[in-house]
């Protein structure tokens, strides 16, 4: 195991082991995957929510706080006045031992001080609306020890936005009940809610607190609560103010003795007619039933074993073995794990996204499916339907929707003109993986015509023709408020500091055009035409291809700049991303999408464009958005020019779009270049950069500071990024070349020349393929033959309807 100053990978257990509570930033894990979610840092900071991080937040968290990572689920010890925490912080003290292990859907914390060892294990059980924590405390000394244990969580008053703003109301509404070993949070329950939360422990308690000021003290912090210092709870009962839940347990441990306790933080919904147990007393029966599922160590361990088996099964659907251990670790464990998280939460809830304003993004959520469909295809199908239901009959869509209501976010609206075509990507990818062509006939009404029995195919048609019907003066797609690059705002012209670049628009948006959407239209327009052919709609396919060919011709005429593709035309009809520009001469997005669409692949332009990317955009940690960076604010370009050079969209490295270049290089057959790029922006290849990156070394971040930045290589906004799905897509389907298609499983690798071989186990529809790829001639691309169970096949695609069960596949490159 290669150990850094902050930790190391334990691949056998699918864990990252953190060896200090003082990481550069909080390094977090996500617990839960079926409606109840919890974020937990390496010191047990974070929060949890049911379905919607805005409207069903259970616990408070303080963003951008001093000190960092304030608020979480804490367990404090007091031994003769010496105080510490079971998770390393928030108490700031010297520990004899600390270790956090972030695994697949669980985290554990091992701490030792004063010969008292503790192990805290936290997870969200399958099919459960709550998180459970087992705390095991062991006396490793040769004498008896009496110590006090205090649990702590702070309730959020359900609506996270209102909780952080409407103090004049909220400081009067907080309500709790205490019964036995359980503290109930019932704020607003008697008015308009039918849900409550509880925090329990499976043993008798010696006291409790439900009032924050009583527990912490008016002028203390999480690191030195007054009750913990005093060693005695106050049995405070919250009436308004800031309700919390804290249990006090006195432990008397003989030498070598271990005490084990299971704490449950749960969410309960009660039918309206069963809300009350008696006058003013909530119906607690559901909570008692809830707690009984986890009230012994045996039950706890059984549920944890179920979770581990669940993840083993999910991750076992694709496993790879290549000559590069970092590639194996990324594809087999962490990339797929991050794909689940991004699929579940889009960009809504992290330590950088508050969960209040973003909701679920239309473009984001459609793209996230491409890294996840092989894992839980039914969930992907439901998500696609949810997204399609927010679309308008003209093909436009709400840019975001709230997961609780599944309604479009009217505060953001639409007019992000790349949105519609992403629905084609997700639908086509789902059908390729599953063969569920009948999905296209599923009834999904448009948001503005709920009484019309529209089908999923109708949605794809609307998406396609939304582009056709919204072309600018050059015949290229209008960009609207923005395309994939939300910060390229060509119709905003903002000079007011309090305006949103994304939602502000001045005048008509009938001039500014996007080459990225043009390439996207060709790429996914061809998928739409293929789906038309697949379902016998040959006239629709032919009609669509007329528009696609016209767009290709338009790109050739107005989108090629001589050595690369132009990025856009602004509201004045002037080009961006052209050699004629002083700054922002070349952008990554239009190169990626035009090349993935195959434009220029046959006439040498693809090689020119990719060489230009390498010459102008390549940095140590990946490919930057554009060069040269913008040095001054330009109202005609918008937010992109508001960032300092090297950060975010102004010449930062956006990990999300780097895979587009990897795919393009693989399509061109340049395997060494594709793999080099992949290894630059994938953090699992760069454990030596943990301190420089600062964000978690086991997941992608949204961006890494580019070569123009004050601190190149510093990453920001980890976890919830499209880089996860796109990297897995590029790594498995283009570098390793194992790709689902409508007719079967395609095999066409593009690898580094020095790889002698690699293998992949791939579950696909009704078969499991054990694929051995041999590269005797040291090539990057090219398949000489494919044999299945010793029999050769024609071409590169294994027909899905010819095989089921287990099969051995041998591929020879050359």
């Amino acid at each position: 195991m290669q150990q850094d100053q902050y930790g190391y990978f334990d691949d056998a257990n699918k864990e990252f082991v953190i060896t200090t509570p003082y990481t550069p930033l909080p390094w977090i894990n996500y617990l839960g995957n079926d409606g109840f979610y919890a974020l937990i840092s390496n010191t047990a900071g974070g929060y949890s929510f049911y379905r919607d991080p805005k409207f069903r937040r259970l616990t408070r968290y303080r963003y951008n706080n001093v000190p960092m990572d304030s608020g979480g689920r804490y367990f404090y010890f007091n031994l003769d006045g010496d105080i510490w925490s079971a998770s390393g912080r928030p108490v700031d003290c010297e520990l004899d031992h600390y270790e956090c292990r972030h695994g697949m859907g669980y985290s554990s914390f091992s701490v030792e001080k004063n010969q008292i060892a503790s192990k805290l294990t936290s997870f969200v059980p399958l099919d459960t609306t709550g998180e459970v924590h087992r705390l095991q405390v062991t006396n490793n000394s040769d004498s008896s020890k009496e110590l006090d244990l205090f649990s702590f969580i702070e309730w959020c008053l359900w609506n996270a936005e209102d909780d952080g703003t409407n103090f004049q109301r909220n400081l009067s509404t907080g309500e709790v009940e205490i019964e036995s070993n359980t503290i109930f949070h019932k704020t607003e329950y008697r008015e308009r809610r039918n849900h409550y939360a509880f925090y329990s422990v499976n043993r008798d308690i010696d006291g409790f607190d439900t009032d924050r000021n009583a527990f912490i003290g008016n002028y203390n912090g999480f690191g030195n609560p007054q009750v913990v210092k005093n060693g005695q709870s106050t049995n405070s009962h919250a009436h308004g103010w800031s309700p919390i839940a804290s249990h006090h347990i006195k432990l008397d441990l003989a030498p070598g003795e271990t005490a084990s306790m299971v704490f449950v933080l749960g969410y309960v919904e009660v039918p309206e007619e069963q809300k009350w147990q008696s006058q003013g007393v909530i119906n607690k029966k559901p909570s008692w039933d809830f707690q009984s599922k986890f009230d012994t160590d045996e039950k706890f361990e059984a549920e944890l074993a179920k979770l581990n088996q669940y993840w083993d099964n999910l991750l076992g659907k694709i496993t790879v073995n290549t000559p590069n251990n970092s590639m194996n670790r990324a594809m087999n464990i962490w990339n797929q794990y991050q794909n689940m998280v991004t699929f579940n939460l889009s960009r809504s809830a992290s330590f950088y996204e508050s969960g209040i304003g973003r909701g679920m993004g239309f473009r984001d959520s459609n793209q996230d499916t491409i890294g996840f469909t092989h894992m839980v295809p039914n969930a992907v199908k439901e998500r696609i339907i949810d997204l399609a239901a927010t679309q308008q009959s003209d093909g436009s869509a709400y840019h975001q929707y709230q997961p609780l209501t599944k309604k479009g976010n009217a505060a953001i609206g639409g007019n992000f003109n790349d949105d519609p075509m992403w629905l084609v990507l997700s639908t086509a990818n789902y059908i390729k993986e599953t063969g569920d062509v009948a999905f296209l006939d599923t009834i999904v009404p448009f948001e503005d015509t709920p009484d019309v029995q529209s089908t999923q195919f109708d949605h794809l048609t609307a998406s396609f023709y939304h582009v056709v019907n919204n072309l600018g003066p050059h015949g290229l797609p209008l960009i609207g408020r923005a395309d994939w690059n939300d910060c390229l705002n060509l119709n905003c012209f903002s000079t007011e500091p309090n305006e949103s670049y994304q939602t502000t628009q001045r005048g008509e948006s009938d001039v500014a055009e996007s080459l990225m959407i043009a390439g996207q239209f060709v790429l996914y327009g061809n998928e739409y035409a293929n789906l038309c052919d697949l379902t016998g709609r040959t006239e629709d396919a032919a009609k669509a291809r007329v528009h696609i060919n016209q767009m290709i011709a338009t790109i050739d005429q107005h989108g090629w700049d001589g050595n690369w593709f132009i990025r856009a035309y602004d509201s004045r009809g002037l080009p961006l991303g052209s050699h004629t520009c002083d700054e922002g001469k070349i952008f990554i997005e239009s190169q990626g999408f035009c090349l993935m669409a195959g434009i220029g692949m046959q006439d040498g332009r693809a090689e020119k464009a990719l060489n230009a990317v390498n010459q102008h955009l390549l940095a140590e940690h990946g490919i930057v958005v554009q060069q040269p960076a913008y040095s001054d604010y330009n109202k005609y370009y918008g937010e992109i020019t508001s960032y300092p050079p090297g950060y975010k969209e102004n010449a930062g490295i956006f990990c999300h779009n780097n895979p587009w270049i990897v795919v393009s290089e693989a399509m061109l057959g340049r395997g060494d270049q594709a793999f080099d790029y992949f290894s630059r922006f994938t953090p699992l290849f760069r454990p030596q950069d943990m301190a420089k990156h600062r964000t978690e070394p086991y997941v992608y971040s949204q961006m890494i500071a580019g070569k123009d930045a004050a601190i190149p290589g510093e990453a920001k906004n980890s976890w919830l990024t499209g880089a996860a799905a796109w990297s897995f897509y590029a790594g498995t389907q283009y570098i390793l070349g194992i790709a689902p298609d409508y007719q079967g499983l395609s095999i066409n690798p593009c690898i580094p020349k020095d790889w002698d071989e690699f293998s992949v186990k791939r579950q696909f529809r009704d078969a499991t393929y054990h694929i051995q790829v041999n590269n005797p001639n040291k090539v990057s691309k090219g398949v000489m033959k494919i044999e299945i169970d010793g029999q050769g096949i024609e071409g590169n695609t294994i027909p899905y309807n010819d095989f089921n069960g287990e099969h051995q596949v041998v591929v020879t490159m050359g």
Side-chain angles (χ1 to χ4, degrees):
M1 299 179 190
Q2 180 181 358
Q3 182 158 348
D4 187 83
Q5 67 189 98
Y6 300 114
Y8 59 93
F9 290 96
D10 180 352
D11 293 340
N13 291 305
K14 301 184 182 71
E15 294 174 334
F16 187 83
V17 185
I18 303 170
T19 54
T20 173
Y22 300 101
T23 47
L25 291 168
W27 286 358
I28 75 167
N29 196 9
Y30 281 82
L31 315 180
N33 52 40
D34 192 27
F36 190 94
Y37 305 102
L39 292 73
I40 189 165
S41 75
N42 58 301
T43 56
Y47 59 95
S48 57
F49 59 93
Y50 174 66
R51 291 181 60 189
D52 193 310
K54 178 178 180 178
F55 293 122
R56 290 292 184 273
R57 187 83 63 101
L58 270 71
T59 58
R60 277 195 183 130
Y61 184 76
R62 289 161 176 78
Y63 290 88
N64 199 24
N65 203 63
V66 178
M68 288 193 299
D69 200 17
S70 294
R73 61 289 282 166
Y74 297 139
F75 298 92
Y76 299 91
F77 297 112
N78 183 331
L79 177 64
D80 300 326
D82 199 359
I83 297 170
W84 71 98
S85 163
S87 56
R89 291 191 59 81
V91 180
D92 192 7
C93 67
E94 189 71 28
L95 298 169
D96 299 323
H97 172 75
Y98 161 89
E99 181 182 272
C100 169
R101 288 178 171 262
H102 284 326
M104 304 291 102
Y106 68 88
S107 292
S108 67
F109 308 82
S110 298
V111 166
E112 186 163 357
K113 187 173 177 63
N114 298 325
Q115 296 183 293
I116 300 294
S118 65
K119 182 175 181 180
L120 173 66
T121 305
S122 304
F123 72 104
V124 172
L126 298 174
D127 304 314
T128 300
T129 58
E131 54 186 68
V132 297
H133 310 272
R134 182 174 66 178
L135 180 62
Q136 298 168 299
V137 186
T138 302
N139 178 5
N140 286 332
S141 75
D142 55 8
S143 61
S144 295
K145 297 286 186 181
E146 295 181 3
L147 68 158
D148 293 283
L149 166 68
F150 300 88
S151 68
F152 173 86
I153 57 111
E154 182 179 12
W155 302 114
C156 176
L157 303 186
W158 297 117
N159 184 322
E161 181 177 32
D162 188 77
D163 180 73
T165 56
N166 195 5
F167 304 114
Q168 61 84 27
R169 170 178 165 79
N170 294 336
L171 294 178
S172 295
T173 59
E175 287 189 87
V176 299
E177 285 187 28
I178 306 99
E179 185 174 338
S180 182
N181 55 4
T182 305
I183 297 166
F184 297 88
H185 172 223
K186 63 173 188 176
T187 300
E188 295 187 337
Y189 184 77
R190 61 188 175 85
E191 303 116 76
R192 297 173 295 174
R193 296 187 183 274
N194 70 330
H195 46 268
Y196 62 80
F198 67 87
Y199 195 36
S200 68
V201 61
N202 65 337
R203 65 181 291 163
D204 293 337
I205 60 177
D206 296 289
F208 62 85
D209 275 288
T210 66
D211 180 87
R212 190 184 71 195
N213 283 356
F215 180 80
I216 292 182
N218 285 340
Y219 298 102
N220 296 344
F222 291 129
N224 60 339
Q226 192 64 47
V227 159
V228 179
K229 291 198 296 183
N230 293 344
Q232 183 60 54
S233 290
T234 70
N235 295 342
S236 60
H237 195 124
H239 299 282
W241 299 109
S242 299
I244 65 162
S246 173
H247 308 90
H248 178 197
I249 299 171
K250 291 182 177 294
L251 298 176
D252 188 353
L253 299 176
E257 183 181 1
T258 297
S260 182
M261 294 143 284
V262 179
F263 295 81
V264 179
L265 173 63
Y267 171 90
V268 171
E269 288 187 356
V270 184
E272 194 70 30
E273 66 278 7
Q274 300 175 21
K275 283 179 63 171
W276 302 104
Q277 179 176 311
S278 59
Q279 181 65 37
V281 179
I282 63 177
N283 178 1
K284 299 186 179 72
K285 184 180 184 304
S287 78
W288 305 135
D289 294 341
F290 196 135
Q291 295 174 47
S292 69
K293 298 177 183 178
F294 314 103
D295 57 6
T296 67
D297 280 348
E298 291 76 17
K299 292 179 182 178
F300 179 93
E301 289 167 0
E303 291 296 331
L304 184 57
K306 287 181 187 177
L307 180 70
N308 290 334
Q309 186 61 56
Y310 172 80
W311 273 105
D312 286 346
N313 291 340
L314 282 183
L315 298 178
K317 295 186 177 185
I318 296 178
T319 57
V320 313
N321 184 15
T322 76
N324 188 289
N325 287 334
S326 297
M327 185 71 168
N328 301 337
R329 179 181 293 147
M331 297 296 99
N332 292 337
I333 306 172
W334 293 100
N335 198 166
Q336 293 196 66
Y337 184 55
Q338 189 177 2
N339 288 347
M340 166 74 94
V341 173
T342 56
F343 173 81
N344 284 334
L345 300 176
S346 189
R347 309 298 173 267
S348 65
S350 73
F351 273 27
Y352 308 93
E353 303 281 5
S354 69
I356 293 173
R358 289 290 297 269
M360 304 284 276
F362 190 91
R363 81 156 71 98
D364 299 325
S365 295
N366 276 297
Q367 289 176 85
D368 290 339
T369 65
I370 67 174
F372 185 70
T373 307
H374 70 284
M375 297 173 81
V376 190
N378 286 339
V380 169
K381 181 178 181 179
E382 292 177 10
R383 176 62 50 77
I384 294 172
I385 290 172
D386 287 347
L387 291 164
T390 69
Q391 191 178 27
Q392 310 300 298
S393 55
D394 69 352
S396 63
Y398 280 104
H399 196 50
Q400 300 167 8
Y401 77 98
Q402 294 299 141
L404 187 66
T405 63
K406 296 188 177 179
K407 298 296 184 183
N409 187 345
I412 301 297
N415 201 25
F416 295 78
N417 283 350
D418 67 314
D419 277 350
M421 291 302 292
W422 294 117
L423 190 65
V424 181
L425 166 64
S426 63
T427 303
N429 182 71
Y430 167 77
I431 293 173
K432 287 178 181 179
E433 183 68 43
T434 63
D436 182 14
V437 179
F439 175 51
L440 294 172
D441 298 323
T442 301
I443 300 300
V444 188
F446 288 98
E447 195 270 347
D448 60 333
T449 56
D451 297 328
V452 177
Q453 298 291 289
S454 304
T455 65
Q456 181 66 17
F457 182 82
D458 292 332
H459 284 270
L460 303 191
T461 301
S463 294
F464 183 90
Y465 284 99
H466 183 269
V467 179
V468 174
N469 295 329
N470 288 276
L471 302 178
H474 294 92
L476 295 165
L478 293 170
I479 195 171
R481 288 180 176 169
D483 58 23
W484 176 89
N485 187 336
D486 278 328
C487 296
L488 191 60
N489 317 116
L490 304 183
N491 297 294
C492 176
F493 322 130
S494 178
T495 57
E496 298 296 325
N498 293 320
E499 289 180 336
S500 163
Y501 286 101
Q502 276 79 58
T503 60
T504 301
Q505 182 176 319
R506 291 184 167 85
E508 296 297 321
S509 55
D510 57 355
V511 174
E513 301 161 299
S514 166
L515 261 296
M516 184 241 138
I517 300 178
Q520 180 198 35
F521 176 75
V522 174
L523 178 58
Y524 301 136
N526 276 314
E527 292 288 9
Y528 169 72
N530 291 338
L531 288 171
C532 290
D533 284 333
L534 194 65
T535 55
R537 298 175 170 95
T538 54
E539 290 186 10
D540 290 330
K543 181 182 174 184
R545 289 192 173 103
V546 170
H547 294 293
I548 294 166
N549 290 332
Q550 179 58 52
M551 185 63 71
I552 293 172
T554 303
I555 292 171
D556 291 343
Q557 182 179 359
H558 298 293
W560 180 250
D561 197 53
N563 287 297
W564 58 77
F565 292 96
I566 288 169
R567 176 62 176 92
Y569 286 92
D570 69 14
S571 62
R572 303 162 295 179
L574 301 176
L576 286 81
S578 165
H579 73 280
T580 61
C581 302
D582 293 331
E583 296 174 336
K585 291 177 180 289
I586 177 173
F587 282 72
I588 186 174
E589 297 96 342
S590 48
Q591 317 313 315
F593 261 89
C594 289
L595 295 176
M596 287 194 296
I599 301 169
M601 282 289 173
Q602 305 304 319
D603 59 14
R605 286 182 298 162
E607 188 171 1
K608 280 187 177 182
L610 288 172
N611 289 345
V613 167
N614 185 275
Q615 177 183 351
H616 298 290
L617 300 181
L618 187 61
E620 179 184 355
H621 300 278
I623 303 167
V624 302
V625 171
Q626 100 285 356
Q627 280 289 292
Y630 292 110
S631 57
D632 293 307
Y633 178 65
N634 185 327
K635 71 176 184 179
Y636 293 105
Y637 297 170
E639 188 173 359
I640 187 173
T641 61
S642 73
Y643 290 108
Y647 292 100
K648 292 279 283 183
E649 282 81 357
N650 189 12
I653 298 161
F654 251 73
C655 298
H656 184 144
N657 56 34
N658 273 235
W660 302 345
I661 301 300
V662 172
V663 169
S664 301
E665 289 283 3
M667 289 173 62
L668 199 61
R670 305 201 301 194
D672 289 309
Q673 192 68 81
F675 195 75
D676 174 68
Y677 291 163
F678 191 87
S679 67
R680 288 174 186 253
F681 65 84
T682 299
L684 286 91
F685 283 77
R686 308 183 71 90
Q688 71 274 15
D689 289 328
M690 288 185 193
K692 181 181 291 185
H693 277 347
R694 302 185 72 203
T695 55
E696 297 91 337
Y698 40 90
V699 293
Y700 290 97
S701 294
Q702 178 201 66
M703 66 84 61
I704 304 170
K707 51 191 175 182
D708 300 288
I711 310 175
E714 181 182 61
K716 289 178 179 162
N717 198 357
S718 59
W719 275 99
L720 300 186
T721 166
W726 270 104
S727 295
F728 190 75
Y729 181 82
T732 56
Q733 297 195 28
Y734 285 88
I735 294 176
L736 302 182
I738 314 297
D741 208 344
Y742 301 114
Q743 303 305 325
L745 194 65
S746 171
I747 303 178
N748 188 20
C750 185
I751 58 175
K753 291 188 181 72
D754 63 0
W755 282 16
D756 293 320
E757 61 178 1
F758 70 90
S759 62
V760 176
K761 187 186 89 169
R762 179 62 153 93
Q763 293 181 25
F764 178 66
R765 302 190 191 178
D766 296 324
T768 298
Y769 299 101
H770 302 271
I771 303 168
Q772 173 66 37
V773 179
N774 299 318
N775 186 22
N777 298 314
K778 299 288 189 178
V779 300
S780 280
K781 197 174 183 73
V783 173
M784 288 201 310
K785 63 178 179 177
I786 297 177
E787 295 177 316
I788 303 179
D789 302 327
Q791 300 296 314
I793 65 168
E794 293 293 326
N796 285 35
T797 299
I798 302 172
Y800 75 86
N801 52 359
D802 289 354
F803 298 95
N804 54 50
E806 302 267 337
H807 296 279
Q808 304 296 320
V809 181
V810 177
V811 179
T812 304
M813 298 181 65

